Short mmCIF file of all heavy atoms in Angstrom, two decimals:
data_model
loop_
_atom_site.label_atom_id
_atom_site.label_comp_id
_atom_site.label_asym_id
_atom_site.label_seq_id
_atom_site.Cartn_x
_atom_site.Cartn_y
_atom_site.Cartn_z
N SER D 227 91.18 134.87 -84.11
CA SER D 227 90.61 135.91 -83.30
C SER D 227 89.11 135.95 -83.50
O SER D 227 88.61 135.82 -84.60
CB SER D 227 91.24 137.24 -83.69
OG SER D 227 90.64 138.28 -82.97
N TYR D 228 88.39 136.14 -82.42
CA TYR D 228 86.93 136.15 -82.43
C TYR D 228 86.48 137.31 -81.54
O TYR D 228 86.87 137.39 -80.38
CB TYR D 228 86.44 134.80 -81.89
CG TYR D 228 85.00 134.75 -81.48
CD1 TYR D 228 83.98 134.84 -82.41
CD2 TYR D 228 84.65 134.58 -80.15
CE1 TYR D 228 82.66 134.76 -82.02
CE2 TYR D 228 83.34 134.49 -79.75
CZ TYR D 228 82.34 134.59 -80.69
OH TYR D 228 81.04 134.52 -80.30
N ASP D 229 85.70 138.22 -82.08
CA ASP D 229 85.27 139.41 -81.35
C ASP D 229 83.75 139.46 -81.32
O ASP D 229 83.10 139.52 -82.36
CB ASP D 229 85.84 140.65 -82.04
CG ASP D 229 85.58 141.92 -81.25
OD1 ASP D 229 84.82 141.88 -80.26
OD2 ASP D 229 86.13 142.95 -81.62
N ILE D 230 83.17 139.46 -80.12
CA ILE D 230 81.71 139.47 -80.04
C ILE D 230 81.12 140.79 -80.49
O ILE D 230 79.99 140.83 -80.94
CB ILE D 230 81.20 139.11 -78.63
CG1 ILE D 230 81.66 140.12 -77.60
CG2 ILE D 230 81.56 137.70 -78.26
CD1 ILE D 230 80.96 139.99 -76.27
N LEU D 231 81.88 141.90 -80.38
CA LEU D 231 81.36 143.19 -80.80
C LEU D 231 80.97 143.17 -82.28
O LEU D 231 79.92 143.67 -82.67
CB LEU D 231 82.38 144.30 -80.53
CG LEU D 231 81.94 145.71 -80.90
CD1 LEU D 231 80.66 146.09 -80.15
CD2 LEU D 231 83.03 146.71 -80.59
N GLU D 232 81.80 142.54 -83.10
CA GLU D 232 81.49 142.43 -84.52
C GLU D 232 80.19 141.65 -84.71
O GLU D 232 79.34 142.02 -85.52
CB GLU D 232 82.63 141.71 -85.24
CG GLU D 232 82.39 141.53 -86.72
CD GLU D 232 83.53 140.81 -87.40
OE1 GLU D 232 84.68 140.90 -86.93
OE2 GLU D 232 83.26 140.15 -88.41
N LYS D 233 79.98 140.60 -83.94
CA LYS D 233 78.75 139.81 -84.05
C LYS D 233 77.54 140.64 -83.61
O LYS D 233 76.48 140.57 -84.21
CB LYS D 233 78.84 138.54 -83.20
CG LYS D 233 79.88 137.56 -83.69
CD LYS D 233 79.94 136.35 -82.82
CE LYS D 233 78.75 135.45 -82.96
NZ LYS D 233 78.45 134.90 -84.26
N ILE D 234 77.70 141.44 -82.56
CA ILE D 234 76.59 142.27 -82.09
C ILE D 234 76.18 143.27 -83.16
O ILE D 234 75.00 143.44 -83.44
CB ILE D 234 76.98 143.00 -80.78
CG1 ILE D 234 77.08 142.00 -79.63
CG2 ILE D 234 75.96 144.07 -80.43
CD1 ILE D 234 77.64 142.59 -78.36
N GLU D 235 77.14 143.94 -83.75
CA GLU D 235 76.83 144.96 -84.76
C GLU D 235 76.14 144.35 -85.97
O GLU D 235 75.23 144.93 -86.54
CB GLU D 235 78.10 145.69 -85.16
CG GLU D 235 78.64 146.58 -84.05
CD GLU D 235 80.01 147.16 -84.35
OE1 GLU D 235 80.64 146.76 -85.35
OE2 GLU D 235 80.45 148.01 -83.57
N LYS D 236 76.54 143.16 -86.37
CA LYS D 236 75.96 142.53 -87.55
C LYS D 236 74.56 141.96 -87.27
O LYS D 236 73.71 141.96 -88.14
CB LYS D 236 76.86 141.40 -88.06
CG LYS D 236 78.10 141.90 -88.73
CD LYS D 236 78.95 140.75 -89.23
CE LYS D 236 80.20 141.26 -89.91
NZ LYS D 236 81.09 140.18 -90.29
N LYS D 237 74.31 141.46 -86.05
CA LYS D 237 73.05 140.79 -85.76
C LYS D 237 72.06 141.66 -84.99
O LYS D 237 70.94 141.26 -84.75
CB LYS D 237 73.32 139.51 -84.98
CG LYS D 237 74.03 138.46 -85.79
CD LYS D 237 74.17 137.18 -85.02
CE LYS D 237 74.84 136.13 -85.88
NZ LYS D 237 75.01 134.87 -85.18
N ASN D 238 72.46 142.84 -84.58
CA ASN D 238 71.61 143.68 -83.76
C ASN D 238 70.28 143.97 -84.41
O ASN D 238 69.26 144.05 -83.75
CB ASN D 238 72.34 144.99 -83.41
CG ASN D 238 71.68 145.70 -82.27
OD1 ASN D 238 71.01 145.10 -81.44
ND2 ASN D 238 71.85 147.00 -82.23
N SER D 239 70.25 144.10 -85.71
CA SER D 239 69.02 144.45 -86.41
C SER D 239 68.00 143.32 -86.42
O SER D 239 66.83 143.56 -86.67
CB SER D 239 69.34 144.89 -87.84
OG SER D 239 69.94 143.82 -88.54
N ILE D 240 68.41 142.08 -86.13
CA ILE D 240 67.44 140.98 -86.15
C ILE D 240 66.89 140.67 -84.76
O ILE D 240 66.10 139.75 -84.60
CB ILE D 240 68.02 139.69 -86.80
CG1 ILE D 240 69.20 139.17 -85.99
CG2 ILE D 240 68.40 139.93 -88.24
CD1 ILE D 240 69.66 137.79 -86.42
N GLY D 241 67.29 141.41 -83.77
CA GLY D 241 66.72 141.28 -82.44
C GLY D 241 67.18 140.09 -81.63
O GLY D 241 66.46 139.61 -80.78
N LYS D 242 68.38 139.60 -81.85
CA LYS D 242 68.90 138.48 -81.05
C LYS D 242 69.10 138.93 -79.61
O LYS D 242 69.54 140.04 -79.35
CB LYS D 242 70.23 137.99 -81.64
CG LYS D 242 70.79 136.80 -80.90
CD LYS D 242 72.04 136.26 -81.55
CE LYS D 242 72.56 135.07 -80.77
NZ LYS D 242 73.79 134.55 -81.34
N VAL D 243 68.77 138.04 -78.68
CA VAL D 243 68.98 138.33 -77.26
C VAL D 243 70.43 138.04 -76.92
O VAL D 243 70.93 136.94 -77.18
CB VAL D 243 68.03 137.48 -76.39
CG1 VAL D 243 68.31 137.71 -74.91
CG2 VAL D 243 66.59 137.77 -76.73
N TYR D 244 71.11 139.01 -76.32
CA TYR D 244 72.52 138.86 -75.99
C TYR D 244 72.67 138.50 -74.52
O TYR D 244 72.37 139.30 -73.65
CB TYR D 244 73.29 140.13 -76.31
CG TYR D 244 73.21 140.48 -77.77
CD1 TYR D 244 72.47 141.57 -78.20
CD2 TYR D 244 73.83 139.69 -78.72
CE1 TYR D 244 72.37 141.86 -79.55
CE2 TYR D 244 73.73 139.97 -80.06
CZ TYR D 244 73.01 141.07 -80.48
OH TYR D 244 72.90 141.35 -81.80
N THR D 245 73.08 137.28 -74.26
CA THR D 245 73.34 136.81 -72.90
C THR D 245 74.70 136.12 -72.89
O THR D 245 75.22 135.73 -73.93
CB THR D 245 72.27 135.79 -72.44
OG1 THR D 245 72.37 134.62 -73.27
CG2 THR D 245 70.87 136.37 -72.53
N ILE D 246 75.24 135.97 -71.68
CA ILE D 246 76.51 135.26 -71.55
C ILE D 246 76.35 133.83 -72.07
O ILE D 246 77.24 133.29 -72.73
CB ILE D 246 77.00 135.26 -70.08
CG1 ILE D 246 77.31 136.70 -69.63
CG2 ILE D 246 78.22 134.37 -69.90
CD1 ILE D 246 78.47 137.36 -70.35
N ASP D 247 75.21 133.20 -71.80
CA ASP D 247 74.98 131.84 -72.30
C ASP D 247 75.01 131.79 -73.82
O ASP D 247 75.60 130.89 -74.41
CB ASP D 247 73.64 131.29 -71.81
CG ASP D 247 73.72 130.74 -70.40
OD1 ASP D 247 74.79 130.81 -69.77
OD2 ASP D 247 72.69 130.23 -69.93
N ASN D 248 74.37 132.76 -74.48
CA ASN D 248 74.38 132.78 -75.95
C ASN D 248 75.78 133.03 -76.49
O ASN D 248 76.18 132.44 -77.50
CB ASN D 248 73.40 133.81 -76.49
CG ASN D 248 71.97 133.34 -76.40
OD1 ASN D 248 71.70 132.16 -76.24
ND2 ASN D 248 71.04 134.26 -76.49
N PHE D 249 76.54 133.90 -75.82
CA PHE D 249 77.93 134.12 -76.26
C PHE D 249 78.76 132.85 -76.07
O PHE D 249 79.61 132.54 -76.90
CB PHE D 249 78.56 135.29 -75.51
CG PHE D 249 78.03 136.63 -75.91
CD1 PHE D 249 77.70 137.57 -74.96
CD2 PHE D 249 77.85 136.98 -77.24
CE1 PHE D 249 77.21 138.82 -75.31
CE2 PHE D 249 77.36 138.22 -77.61
CZ PHE D 249 77.04 139.14 -76.64
N ALA D 250 78.52 132.11 -74.99
CA ALA D 250 79.24 130.85 -74.77
C ALA D 250 78.89 129.85 -75.88
O ALA D 250 79.77 129.16 -76.40
CB ALA D 250 78.92 130.27 -73.39
N LYS D 251 77.62 129.79 -76.25
CA LYS D 251 77.20 128.90 -77.33
C LYS D 251 77.84 129.31 -78.66
O LYS D 251 78.23 128.46 -79.46
CB LYS D 251 75.68 128.88 -77.45
CG LYS D 251 75.03 128.18 -76.27
CD LYS D 251 73.51 128.31 -76.31
CE LYS D 251 72.91 127.76 -75.03
NZ LYS D 251 71.46 128.00 -74.97
N ASP D 252 77.95 130.63 -78.88
CA ASP D 252 78.65 131.10 -80.09
C ASP D 252 80.11 130.65 -80.06
O ASP D 252 80.67 130.25 -81.08
CB ASP D 252 78.59 132.62 -80.19
CG ASP D 252 77.23 133.15 -80.60
OD1 ASP D 252 76.40 132.35 -81.10
OD2 ASP D 252 76.99 134.36 -80.43
N LEU D 253 80.73 130.72 -78.88
CA LEU D 253 82.12 130.27 -78.74
C LEU D 253 82.24 128.79 -79.07
O LEU D 253 83.17 128.39 -79.79
CB LEU D 253 82.61 130.54 -77.31
CG LEU D 253 84.02 130.05 -76.97
CD1 LEU D 253 85.07 130.71 -77.86
CD2 LEU D 253 84.32 130.29 -75.50
N PHE D 254 81.29 127.98 -78.61
CA PHE D 254 81.32 126.55 -78.94
C PHE D 254 81.24 126.35 -80.46
O PHE D 254 81.90 125.47 -81.01
CB PHE D 254 80.16 125.81 -78.27
CG PHE D 254 80.24 125.78 -76.77
CD1 PHE D 254 79.07 125.87 -76.02
CD2 PHE D 254 81.44 125.67 -76.11
CE1 PHE D 254 79.11 125.84 -74.64
CE2 PHE D 254 81.50 125.63 -74.72
CZ PHE D 254 80.32 125.73 -73.99
N SER D 255 80.44 127.15 -81.13
CA SER D 255 80.32 127.05 -82.60
C SER D 255 81.64 127.37 -83.28
O SER D 255 82.05 126.69 -84.22
CB SER D 255 79.24 128.00 -83.12
OG SER D 255 77.98 127.63 -82.65
N VAL D 256 82.31 128.42 -82.80
CA VAL D 256 83.62 128.80 -83.37
C VAL D 256 84.62 127.68 -83.15
O VAL D 256 85.35 127.29 -84.07
CB VAL D 256 84.12 130.13 -82.76
CG1 VAL D 256 85.56 130.41 -83.17
CG2 VAL D 256 83.22 131.28 -83.16
N ILE D 257 84.65 127.12 -81.93
CA ILE D 257 85.58 126.03 -81.62
C ILE D 257 85.32 124.83 -82.52
O ILE D 257 86.25 124.22 -83.05
CB ILE D 257 85.48 125.65 -80.13
CG1 ILE D 257 86.02 126.78 -79.26
CG2 ILE D 257 86.23 124.35 -79.85
CD1 ILE D 257 85.75 126.60 -77.78
N ALA D 258 84.07 124.49 -82.71
CA ALA D 258 83.71 123.34 -83.55
C ALA D 258 84.17 123.53 -84.99
O ALA D 258 84.64 122.59 -85.63
CB ALA D 258 82.21 123.09 -83.49
N LYS D 259 84.06 124.75 -85.49
CA LYS D 259 84.46 125.02 -86.88
C LYS D 259 85.97 124.99 -87.06
O LYS D 259 86.47 124.63 -88.11
CB LYS D 259 83.90 126.36 -87.34
CG LYS D 259 82.42 126.32 -87.57
CD LYS D 259 81.89 127.66 -88.02
CE LYS D 259 80.37 127.58 -88.15
NZ LYS D 259 79.79 128.84 -88.56
N LEU D 260 86.72 125.36 -86.02
CA LEU D 260 88.18 125.40 -86.12
C LEU D 260 88.79 124.01 -86.23
O LEU D 260 89.80 123.82 -86.90
CB LEU D 260 88.78 126.13 -84.91
CG LEU D 260 88.50 127.62 -84.82
CD1 LEU D 260 89.03 128.17 -83.49
CD2 LEU D 260 89.13 128.35 -85.99
N LYS D 261 88.24 123.04 -85.53
CA LYS D 261 88.71 121.65 -85.54
C LYS D 261 90.18 121.50 -85.16
O LYS D 261 90.90 120.66 -85.67
CB LYS D 261 88.45 121.00 -86.91
CG LYS D 261 86.99 120.92 -87.26
CD LYS D 261 86.78 120.28 -88.60
CE LYS D 261 85.30 120.27 -88.94
NZ LYS D 261 85.02 119.73 -90.25
N TYR D 262 90.66 122.35 -84.26
CA TYR D 262 92.04 122.24 -83.78
C TYR D 262 92.16 121.06 -82.83
O TYR D 262 91.24 120.75 -82.08
CB TYR D 262 92.47 123.50 -83.03
CG TYR D 262 92.69 124.72 -83.89
CD1 TYR D 262 92.25 125.96 -83.48
CD2 TYR D 262 93.35 124.63 -85.10
CE1 TYR D 262 92.47 127.09 -84.25
CE2 TYR D 262 93.57 125.75 -85.87
CZ TYR D 262 93.13 126.98 -85.45
OH TYR D 262 93.34 128.08 -86.21
N LYS D 263 93.32 120.42 -82.84
CA LYS D 263 93.57 119.33 -81.91
C LYS D 263 93.93 119.87 -80.53
O LYS D 263 93.66 119.26 -79.51
CB LYS D 263 94.66 118.41 -82.43
CG LYS D 263 94.22 117.64 -83.66
CD LYS D 263 95.27 116.70 -84.15
CE LYS D 263 94.74 115.98 -85.38
NZ LYS D 263 95.68 115.07 -85.95
N LYS D 264 94.61 121.01 -80.50
CA LYS D 264 94.94 121.69 -79.25
C LYS D 264 94.48 123.13 -79.38
O LYS D 264 94.61 123.73 -80.44
CB LYS D 264 96.44 121.65 -78.96
CG LYS D 264 96.93 120.28 -78.62
CD LYS D 264 98.23 120.38 -77.85
CE LYS D 264 98.60 119.03 -77.30
NZ LYS D 264 98.65 119.03 -75.87
N LEU D 265 93.95 123.68 -78.28
CA LEU D 265 93.36 125.01 -78.35
C LEU D 265 93.61 125.76 -77.06
O LEU D 265 93.42 125.22 -75.96
CB LEU D 265 91.85 124.89 -78.60
CG LEU D 265 91.06 126.18 -78.70
CD1 LEU D 265 91.45 126.96 -79.95
CD2 LEU D 265 89.57 125.86 -78.74
N ALA D 266 94.04 127.01 -77.16
CA ALA D 266 94.14 127.92 -76.03
C ALA D 266 93.18 129.08 -76.30
O ALA D 266 93.12 129.59 -77.42
CB ALA D 266 95.56 128.44 -75.87
N ILE D 267 92.44 129.47 -75.29
CA ILE D 267 91.47 130.55 -75.44
C ILE D 267 91.83 131.66 -74.46
O ILE D 267 92.06 131.41 -73.27
CB ILE D 267 90.04 130.08 -75.14
CG1 ILE D 267 89.65 128.92 -76.05
CG2 ILE D 267 89.05 131.23 -75.30
CD1 ILE D 267 88.31 128.30 -75.70
N ALA D 268 91.86 132.90 -74.94
CA ALA D 268 92.10 134.07 -74.10
C ALA D 268 90.85 134.93 -74.11
O ALA D 268 90.23 135.13 -75.15
CB ALA D 268 93.29 134.86 -74.60
N GLY D 269 90.49 135.42 -72.94
CA GLY D 269 89.33 136.31 -72.84
C GLY D 269 89.72 137.58 -72.11
O GLY D 269 90.31 137.52 -71.03
N LEU D 270 89.37 138.70 -72.69
CA LEU D 270 89.65 140.00 -72.09
C LEU D 270 88.36 140.58 -71.55
O LEU D 270 87.36 140.68 -72.28
CB LEU D 270 90.25 140.95 -73.13
CG LEU D 270 90.47 142.40 -72.72
CD1 LEU D 270 91.46 142.48 -71.57
CD2 LEU D 270 90.95 143.22 -73.89
N SER D 271 88.34 140.93 -70.28
CA SER D 271 87.20 141.53 -69.63
C SER D 271 85.96 140.65 -69.78
O SER D 271 85.94 139.54 -69.27
CB SER D 271 86.97 142.95 -70.18
OG SER D 271 86.02 143.63 -69.39
N MET D 272 84.94 141.10 -70.49
CA MET D 272 83.73 140.29 -70.63
C MET D 272 84.01 138.97 -71.33
O MET D 272 83.34 137.96 -71.07
CB MET D 272 82.66 141.06 -71.41
CG MET D 272 81.32 140.36 -71.39
SD MET D 272 80.05 141.41 -72.05
CE MET D 272 79.38 140.33 -73.28
N GLY D 273 85.01 138.94 -72.20
CA GLY D 273 85.39 137.69 -72.85
C GLY D 273 85.80 136.63 -71.84
O GLY D 273 85.55 135.45 -72.02
N GLY D 274 86.39 137.07 -70.73
CA GLY D 274 86.75 136.15 -69.66
C GLY D 274 85.52 135.55 -69.00
O GLY D 274 85.49 134.37 -68.66
N TYR D 275 84.48 136.37 -68.84
CA TYR D 275 83.24 135.87 -68.24
C TYR D 275 82.54 134.89 -69.17
O TYR D 275 81.93 133.92 -68.72
CB TYR D 275 82.31 137.02 -67.87
CG TYR D 275 82.93 137.93 -66.83
CD1 TYR D 275 83.32 139.22 -67.14
CD2 TYR D 275 83.15 137.47 -65.53
CE1 TYR D 275 83.91 140.04 -66.20
CE2 TYR D 275 83.74 138.28 -64.58
CZ TYR D 275 84.12 139.57 -64.92
OH TYR D 275 84.71 140.36 -63.98
N ILE D 276 82.67 135.12 -70.46
CA ILE D 276 82.12 134.19 -71.43
C ILE D 276 82.85 132.85 -71.33
O ILE D 276 82.23 131.78 -71.34
CB ILE D 276 82.20 134.77 -72.86
CG1 ILE D 276 81.28 135.98 -72.98
CG2 ILE D 276 81.85 133.71 -73.91
CD1 ILE D 276 81.48 136.81 -74.23
N ILE D 277 84.17 132.90 -71.20
CA ILE D 277 84.95 131.67 -71.04
C ILE D 277 84.57 130.94 -69.74
O ILE D 277 84.42 129.73 -69.73
CB ILE D 277 86.47 131.95 -71.07
CG1 ILE D 277 86.90 132.46 -72.43
CG2 ILE D 277 87.25 130.69 -70.71
CD1 ILE D 277 88.33 132.95 -72.46
N LEU D 278 84.39 131.70 -68.66
CA LEU D 278 84.00 131.07 -67.39
C LEU D 278 82.65 130.35 -67.53
O LEU D 278 82.48 129.23 -67.06
CB LEU D 278 83.91 132.12 -66.27
CG LEU D 278 85.23 132.62 -65.72
CD1 LEU D 278 85.00 133.80 -64.79
CD2 LEU D 278 85.96 131.50 -64.98
N ARG D 279 81.70 130.98 -68.22
CA ARG D 279 80.40 130.33 -68.43
C ARG D 279 80.54 129.12 -69.33
O ARG D 279 79.94 128.07 -69.08
CB ARG D 279 79.39 131.32 -69.01
CG ARG D 279 78.02 130.73 -69.22
CD ARG D 279 77.43 130.24 -67.91
NE ARG D 279 76.15 129.59 -68.16
CZ ARG D 279 75.72 128.52 -67.51
NH1 ARG D 279 76.46 127.98 -66.56
NH2 ARG D 279 74.57 127.99 -67.79
N ALA D 280 81.33 129.24 -70.38
CA ALA D 280 81.57 128.11 -71.28
C ALA D 280 82.19 126.95 -70.52
O ALA D 280 81.83 125.79 -70.73
CB ALA D 280 82.46 128.54 -72.44
N LEU D 281 83.08 127.26 -69.59
CA LEU D 281 83.73 126.23 -68.77
C LEU D 281 82.72 125.53 -67.86
O LEU D 281 82.80 124.33 -67.62
CB LEU D 281 84.85 126.85 -67.95
CG LEU D 281 85.73 125.93 -67.12
CD1 LEU D 281 86.44 124.92 -68.01
CD2 LEU D 281 86.75 126.75 -66.34
N GLU D 282 81.74 126.28 -67.36
CA GLU D 282 80.68 125.67 -66.54
C GLU D 282 79.83 124.71 -67.38
O GLU D 282 79.39 123.67 -66.90
CB GLU D 282 79.77 126.74 -65.95
CG GLU D 282 80.42 127.56 -64.87
CD GLU D 282 79.54 128.70 -64.39
OE1 GLU D 282 78.58 129.09 -65.08
OE2 GLU D 282 79.82 129.21 -63.29
N LEU D 283 79.61 125.07 -68.64
CA LEU D 283 78.78 124.25 -69.52
C LEU D 283 79.52 123.04 -70.06
O LEU D 283 78.94 121.97 -70.25
CB LEU D 283 78.23 125.10 -70.67
CG LEU D 283 77.29 126.23 -70.28
CD1 LEU D 283 76.99 127.11 -71.48
CD2 LEU D 283 76.01 125.68 -69.68
N ARG D 284 80.80 123.20 -70.35
CA ARG D 284 81.65 122.12 -70.89
C ARG D 284 83.01 122.21 -70.24
O ARG D 284 83.77 123.15 -70.49
CB ARG D 284 81.80 122.24 -72.41
CG ARG D 284 80.52 122.03 -73.16
CD ARG D 284 80.80 121.98 -74.64
NE ARG D 284 79.55 122.03 -75.38
CZ ARG D 284 79.48 122.25 -76.67
NH1 ARG D 284 80.58 122.43 -77.37
NH2 ARG D 284 78.31 122.28 -77.27
N LYS D 285 83.34 121.24 -69.45
CA LYS D 285 84.58 121.28 -68.66
C LYS D 285 85.86 121.28 -69.48
O LYS D 285 86.86 121.83 -69.09
CB LYS D 285 84.61 120.10 -67.68
CG LYS D 285 83.47 120.09 -66.70
CD LYS D 285 83.49 121.29 -65.81
CE LYS D 285 82.34 121.25 -64.83
NZ LYS D 285 81.93 122.54 -64.37
N ASN D 286 85.88 120.64 -70.64
CA ASN D 286 87.11 120.49 -71.41
C ASN D 286 87.05 121.26 -72.73
O ASN D 286 87.27 120.72 -73.80
CB ASN D 286 87.37 119.00 -71.70
CG ASN D 286 87.59 118.22 -70.43
OD1 ASN D 286 88.26 118.71 -69.52
ND2 ASN D 286 87.02 117.05 -70.34
N ILE D 287 86.79 122.57 -72.65
CA ILE D 287 86.66 123.34 -73.89
C ILE D 287 87.99 123.66 -74.54
O ILE D 287 88.04 123.94 -75.73
CB ILE D 287 85.85 124.64 -73.68
CG1 ILE D 287 86.53 125.56 -72.68
CG2 ILE D 287 84.43 124.33 -73.29
CD1 ILE D 287 85.93 126.94 -72.63
N ALA D 288 89.08 123.64 -73.75
CA ALA D 288 90.38 124.00 -74.32
C ALA D 288 91.51 123.41 -73.48
O ALA D 288 91.30 122.99 -72.35
CB ALA D 288 90.53 125.52 -74.39
N ASP D 289 92.70 123.41 -74.06
CA ASP D 289 93.88 122.93 -73.35
C ASP D 289 94.42 123.99 -72.38
O ASP D 289 95.06 123.66 -71.40
CB ASP D 289 94.98 122.55 -74.35
CG ASP D 289 94.51 121.42 -75.25
OD1 ASP D 289 94.33 120.31 -74.74
OD2 ASP D 289 94.29 121.68 -76.45
N ALA D 290 94.17 125.26 -72.69
CA ALA D 290 94.63 126.35 -71.84
C ALA D 290 93.63 127.50 -71.91
O ALA D 290 93.05 127.75 -72.97
CB ALA D 290 96.00 126.84 -72.29
N LEU D 291 93.43 128.16 -70.78
CA LEU D 291 92.54 129.32 -70.70
C LEU D 291 93.33 130.49 -70.13
O LEU D 291 94.06 130.33 -69.16
CB LEU D 291 91.34 129.02 -69.81
CG LEU D 291 90.47 127.84 -70.24
CD1 LEU D 291 89.44 127.52 -69.16
CD2 LEU D 291 89.78 128.13 -71.57
N ILE D 292 93.17 131.65 -70.73
CA ILE D 292 93.88 132.85 -70.28
C ILE D 292 92.84 133.91 -70.00
O ILE D 292 92.03 134.25 -70.85
CB ILE D 292 94.85 133.35 -71.38
CG1 ILE D 292 95.84 132.24 -71.74
CG2 ILE D 292 95.57 134.62 -70.91
CD1 ILE D 292 96.58 132.49 -73.03
N PHE D 293 92.85 134.44 -68.77
CA PHE D 293 91.89 135.47 -68.37
C PHE D 293 92.64 136.78 -68.15
O PHE D 293 93.58 136.84 -67.38
CB PHE D 293 91.19 135.05 -67.07
CG PHE D 293 90.39 133.78 -67.21
CD1 PHE D 293 90.96 132.56 -66.89
CD2 PHE D 293 89.09 133.82 -67.69
CE1 PHE D 293 90.23 131.38 -67.03
CE2 PHE D 293 88.37 132.65 -67.83
CZ PHE D 293 88.93 131.44 -67.49
N LEU D 294 92.19 137.81 -68.83
CA LEU D 294 92.81 139.13 -68.74
C LEU D 294 91.75 140.12 -68.26
O LEU D 294 90.69 140.25 -68.87
CB LEU D 294 93.36 139.57 -70.10
CG LEU D 294 94.33 138.57 -70.74
CD1 LEU D 294 94.34 138.71 -72.24
CD2 LEU D 294 95.70 138.78 -70.15
N ASP D 295 92.04 140.80 -67.17
CA ASP D 295 91.12 141.81 -66.63
C ASP D 295 89.74 141.20 -66.34
O ASP D 295 88.70 141.76 -66.66
CB ASP D 295 91.00 143.01 -67.58
CG ASP D 295 90.44 144.23 -66.88
OD1 ASP D 295 90.53 144.30 -65.64
OD2 ASP D 295 89.89 145.09 -67.57
N THR D 296 89.74 139.98 -65.74
CA THR D 296 88.52 139.25 -65.41
C THR D 296 88.63 138.77 -63.97
O THR D 296 89.66 138.24 -63.58
CB THR D 296 88.35 138.03 -66.34
OG1 THR D 296 88.37 138.47 -67.69
CG2 THR D 296 87.05 137.31 -66.08
N LYS D 297 87.57 138.95 -63.21
CA LYS D 297 87.54 138.47 -61.82
C LYS D 297 86.70 137.20 -61.77
O LYS D 297 85.72 137.06 -62.48
CB LYS D 297 86.92 139.52 -60.91
CG LYS D 297 87.72 140.79 -60.84
CD LYS D 297 87.04 141.79 -59.94
CE LYS D 297 87.82 143.09 -59.92
NZ LYS D 297 87.15 144.10 -59.11
N SER D 298 87.05 136.29 -60.87
CA SER D 298 86.33 135.03 -60.76
C SER D 298 85.23 135.09 -59.70
O SER D 298 84.66 134.08 -59.35
CB SER D 298 87.29 133.89 -60.43
OG SER D 298 87.89 134.13 -59.18
N GLU D 299 84.91 136.25 -59.23
CA GLU D 299 83.89 136.41 -58.17
C GLU D 299 82.50 136.25 -58.72
O GLU D 299 82.13 136.61 -59.76
CB GLU D 299 84.03 137.78 -57.53
CG GLU D 299 85.39 138.00 -56.93
CD GLU D 299 85.62 139.43 -56.50
OE1 GLU D 299 84.84 140.34 -56.84
OE2 GLU D 299 86.59 139.64 -55.78
#
């Protein structure tokens, strides 16, 4: 499980800029550290938008993607 809210609260004091692109890059870092051979990613609400952006940046980020309460518009 990976929650961006926890990352925001911990890093807010250092002035990091929070963008969907930066969250997607954070997701890539988490994926790289996991080293799973097969991976399914679920995103709820804004997490789904982060996955959509990550998918635009890297087409094969996971074996399965699950979007919950996310629109593709």
Side-chain angles (χ1 to χ4, degrees):
S227 177
Y228 164 68
D229 187 351
I230 62 168
L231 181 58
E232 180 180 332
K233 294 179 71 59
I234 290 172
E235 290 172 351
K236 287 181 180 175
K237 292 185 178 179
N238 196 25
S239 62
I240 63 170
K242 182 175 180 182
V243 177
Y244 300 109
T245 65
I246 295 295
D247 278 2
N248 284 342
F249 288 135
K251 290 174 188 174
D252 287 344
L253 176 61
F254 295 144
S255 295
V256 171
I257 292 170
K259 288 180 183 179
L260 292 174
K261 297 180 183 177
Y262 289 138
K263 292 182 180 179
K264 291 202 170 242
L265 180 67
I267 302 173
L270 174 63
S271 190
M272 189 170 127
Y275 297 111
I276 293 168
I277 294 171
L278 285 171
R279 181 60 184 143
L281 185 61
E282 289 175 342
L283 297 172
R284 294 188 191 167
K285 300 297 181 206
N286 297 320
I287 61 169
D289 298 292
L291 301 172
I292 302 164
F293 298 94
L294 305 154
D295 199 22
T296 304
K297 296 179 182 177
S298 63
E299 301 171 348

